[in-house]
Amino acid sequence: MKIAENTVVLIDYTLTDNEGEVIDSSEGAGPLAYLQGAGNIITGLEEALLGKEAGDKVKASIEPAKAYGERHEDMRQEVPKELFGGIDNIEVGMQFQSETDQGPVMVTVVEISEEMITVDGNHPLAGVHLNFDVNIREVREPSEEELEHGHVHGEGGHHHEE
Ligand code: ZN
């Protein structure tokens, strides 16, 4: 069957940036399972896979607007170190939930100096052109429960705590 709205899709994938650097891969982790049209994966990849079927190999080149968005330099800001009081051993790469006028935003520590810490509210892949190499393993109908939850259960999908 072909990939359409509300089909369950299992894929192997390798994700690289425009420099050929591997950003992510299902290798070793097993296939990724997602529900088409439910926003489980980025829009650009859903569009590239629509209409394909098991056994198809798909190469998709996706611009930031259909992936994790453009970078916004104003989402990068310096914060005095003392505002992080109580948090020991702050390191580059750590993520924090930050309260803003627009609600909670996940920020990443990108730089640390003597007095200041620079945090970035952009998604780490914002502004990055994504190149997917996909192997479609399986396409099937979702269970009623999967449809209701908006995600796939079982292998490569969502696991609920009992
Ligand atoms: Zn569920």
Side-chain angles (χ1 to χ4, degrees):
M1 73 186 278
K2 290 191 193 318
I3 297 175
E5 283 294 286
N6 293 327
T7 51
V8 169
V9 186
L10 271 79
I11 58 171
D12 296 318
Y13 69 94
T14 302
L15 170 59
T16 52
D17 62 19
N18 275 356
E19 279 71 54
E21 198 82 35
V22 174
I23 298 169
D24 191 16
S25 165
S26 61
E27 208 183 304
L32 169 78
Y34 77 93
L35 185 63
Q36 177 83 12
N40 297 164
I41 60 170
I42 57 169
T43 320
L45 189 55
E46 281 195 339
E47 283 178 5
L49 295 176
L50 188 68
K52 302 292 194 293
E53 54 194 354
D56 284 354
K57 291 187 193 322
V58 179
K59 279 186 193 295
S61 174
I62 299 165
E63 58 197 276
K66 291 198 169 171
Y68 294 97
E70 303 292 348
R71 279 192 63 80
H72 298 285
E73 286 313 317
D74 56 347
M75 287 174 74
R76 193 182 159 106
Q77 54 173 273
E78 280 195 311
V79 183
K81 238 180 188 171
E82 65 248 31
L83 288 186
F84 286 81
I87 307 171
D88 293 327
N89 308 320
I90 291 177
E91 287 171 36
V92 168
M94 285 175 105
Q95 293 193 309
F96 296 94
Q97 186 111 299
S98 170
E99 292 300 328
T100 72
D101 298 342
Q102 282 80 44
V105 170
M106 204 56 154
V107 300
T108 309
V109 175
V110 290
E111 230 182 282
I112 300 172
S113 70
E114 198 79 22
E115 304 280 320
M116 306 292 274
I117 290 176
T118 309
V119 295
D120 192 337
N122 287 289
H123 186 281
L125 291 178
V128 179
H129 198 111
L130 304 180
N131 301 294
F132 278 93
D133 219 320
V134 178
N135 182 9
I136 302 170
R137 295 257 286 241
E138 189 186 334
V139 183
R140 65 166 169 86
E141 295 286 355
S143 69
E144 252 175 61
E145 198 184 41
E146 285 173 324
L147 254 190
E148 210 175 285
H149 289 195
H151 56 224
V152 178
H153 294 156
E155 192 195 6
H158 199 91
H159 296 273
H160 292 283
E161 301 290 331
E162 287 303 324

